[in-house]
């Protein structure tokens, strides 16, 4: 019973790491890619370039990110960047801005408390009522640092980038 190497790696991540909040940013368009990749990006709510969403590091999400790694970049988001995303780019259904009134309506004192709960995974971002599951970012100021067809480890843009995702998101807000 031999497992593929990526499945073993995901199991190791599950056992060794605690749950973390990940920010996922779509970098590239589709071109002539497979329907599986299109469907995976649709499930992640990343329908256009510069869209940002928040997920946790469960093996199911990590498997999806591994499948679309040539089109997105992701990493661990900090509480400060989560607050900035919610304040500047968070939208409710009806295209209304996210504010403290909404946070109080769902049981938090302020938007900062909600952001802290999201970053600590006490509440799932995608399961919040009446909130759009995606943030619409601008292209990053002064552009991407590297080629969008190469991985981050090869001095490109796509793939896993860890804490460096926070700098990219700040450039996109």
């Amino acid at each position: 019973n031999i497992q593929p190497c990526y499945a073993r790696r995901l199991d190791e991540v599950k056992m060794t790491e605690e749950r973390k909040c990940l920010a996922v940013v779509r970098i590239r368009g589709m071109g002539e890619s497979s329907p599986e990749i299109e469907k995976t990006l649709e499930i992640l709510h990343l329908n256009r370039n510069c869209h940002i969403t928040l997920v946790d590091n469960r093996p199911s999400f990590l498997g999806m990110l591994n499948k679309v790694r040539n089109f997105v970049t992701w990493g661990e988001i900090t509480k400060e960047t989560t607050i900035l995303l919610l304040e500047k780019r968070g939208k409710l259904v009806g295209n209304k801005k996210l504010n403290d009134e909404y946070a109080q309506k769902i049981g938090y004192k302020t938007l900062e408390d909600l952001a802290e709960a999201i970053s600590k995974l006490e509440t799932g971002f995608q399961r919040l009522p009446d909130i759009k599951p995606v943030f619409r970012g601008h292209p990053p100021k002064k552009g991407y640092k590297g080629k969008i067809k190469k991985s981050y480890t090869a001095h490109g843009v796509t793939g896993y980038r860890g804490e460096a995702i926070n700098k990219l998101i700040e450039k996109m807000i």
Side-chain angles (χ1 to χ4, degrees), residues 86-92 94-99 102:
L86 289 175
E87 287 177 348
K88 302 283 185 181
R89 292 283 163 193
K91 298 282 183 182
L92 296 171
N95 223 18
K96 298 175 185 169
K97 287 195 109 190
L98 204 55
N99 54 21
Y102 173 76

Side-chain angles (χ1 to χ4, degrees), residues 9 25 28 42 47 52 57 87 89 91-92 94-95 99 105 111 117 121 123 126 128 133 139 142 150 160-161 165:
R9 185 173 57 114
V25 180
R28 295 180 57 197
E42 185 180 317
N47 299 322
I52 305 165
N57 65 345
E87 287 177 348
R89 292 283 163 193
K91 298 282 183 182
L92 296 171
N95 223 18
N99 54 21
K105 179 180 150 187
L111 207 54
L121 297 174
T123 183
Q126 308 239 350
L128 291 173
K142 298 188 179 180
K150 288 187 177 182
Y160 176 74
R161 60 172 59 211
I165 195 77

Side-chain angles (χ1 to χ4, degrees), residues 3-16:
Q3 286 184 320
C5 63
Y6 68 87
R8 271 187 272 138
R9 185 173 57 114
L10 293 177
D11 289 340
E12 291 168 6
V13 166
K14 183 179 174 186
M15 290 180 197
T16 59

Side-chain angles (χ1 to χ4, degrees), residues 75-95:
E76 291 85 12
I77 190 166
T78 61
K79 176 186 154 192
E80 292 78 23
T81 309
T82 307
I83 292 170
L84 198 61
L85 260 179
L86 289 175
E87 287 177 348
K88 302 283 185 181
R89 292 283 163 193
K91 298 282 183 182
L92 296 171
V93 175
N95 223 18

Side-chain angles (χ1 to χ4, degrees), residues 108-149:
Y108 295 95
K109 292 180 182 177
T110 62
L111 207 54
E112 287 83 15
D113 293 340
L114 176 61
E116 186 173 349
I118 290 171
S119 64
K120 289 182 178 179
L121 297 174
E122 294 170 1
T123 183
F125 172 70
Q126 308 239 350
R127 295 183 183 217
L128 291 173
D130 299 330
I131 194 168
K132 290 190 176 182
V134 70
F135 301 102
R136 295 171 56 197
H138 293 292
K141 292 177 183 153
K142 298 188 179 180
Y144 295 108
K145 301 294 182 203
K147 300 201 178 247
I148 62 169
K149 292 188 178 183

Side-chain angles (χ1 to χ4, degrees), residues 12-34:
E12 291 168 6
V13 166
K14 183 179 174 186
M15 290 180 197
T16 59
E17 290 188 18
E18 70 277 355
R19 288 182 45 191
K20 295 181 182 176
C21 186
L22 302 175
V24 184
V25 180
R26 180 161 173 185
I27 302 294
R28 295 180 57 197
M30 293 306 297
E32 293 184 18
S33 61
S34 72

